[in-house]
Amino acid sequence: MTIRVLLADDQTLVRAAFAMLVESARDMEVVGEAGSGREAVGAAREVRPDLVVMDIRMPDLDGIEATRLIAADEELAGVRVLVLTTYDTDENIVEALRAGASGFLVKDTRPAELLDAIRTVAAGEALLSPGPTARLIERFLRSPSVPLPVPGGGPECLSDREREVLALVARGLNNTEIAEALGLSPLTAKTHVSRIMGKLGARDRAQLVIVAYESGMVTPGTL
């Protein structure tokens, strides 16, 4: 299946470079470009991409607010956002996730890693730059203004196995790593993650991470 990508960045040369990179992958295609946050929202509604690669610092409407509008639009429920920025700060990471982003990478990421990130987020998994992940989680827990509400129930509605899987998701493991840790097949691990998301009403794995930490299933310092 081809991943349909929308590129949003206010620098024309950057968009052109990203477009060449994305188009070089056999499983991806660029279906639109935007030079501002407002253009990104409009383009997302017009072309319905699978994923938006979203810069944070843009004119008219920044990438975080554009992400928030996309995530809040029920007609764009299947569109995921990968935030890509030069600014690797706690504030940007937290705000991007609060807005509904499913992934976060800095612009010095290697080309192959960016393509892998697009595949990961398009597949419904959360992705964060490794460096700031632990800081992000601790900040979520320590700031009362930060928590992101999840519309479903809490971890108490999960089976023992599902709670084990959720704890491993919160530690950043992918489905293959979860399968290896619990002696499951990757397909079974993926099924467990999907069921957990359904029970908790979570949009993606980023929200599962938040639920796990806010419920006390995983604590800061255990990453």
Side-chain angles (χ1 to χ4, degrees), residues 67-106:
T67 297
R68 185 173 291 112
L69 291 175
I70 290 172
D73 191 329
E74 293 183 358
E75 295 186 358
L76 299 179
V79 178
R80 301 190 180 279
V81 177
L82 172 63
V83 171
L84 192 66
T85 181
T86 306
Y87 304 92
D88 179 10
T89 66
D90 291 336
E91 289 78 11
N92 283 333
I93 298 170
V94 171
E95 287 304 312
L97 288 182
R98 288 182 68 195
S102 297
F104 184 100
L105 285 176
V106 292

Side-chain angles (χ1 to χ4, degrees), residues 170-189:
R171 291 188 171 93
L173 274 65
N174 59 34
N175 291 340
T176 300
E177 292 167 336
I178 291 172
E180 292 175 353
L182 298 179
L184 307 172
S185 71
L187 179 59
T188 299

Side-chain angles (χ1 to χ4, degrees), residues 116-135:
D116 285 342
I118 290 174
R119 295 185 182 101
T120 297
V121 174
E125 299 189 23
L127 185 142
L128 299 170
S129 288
T133 302
R135 297 200 312 270

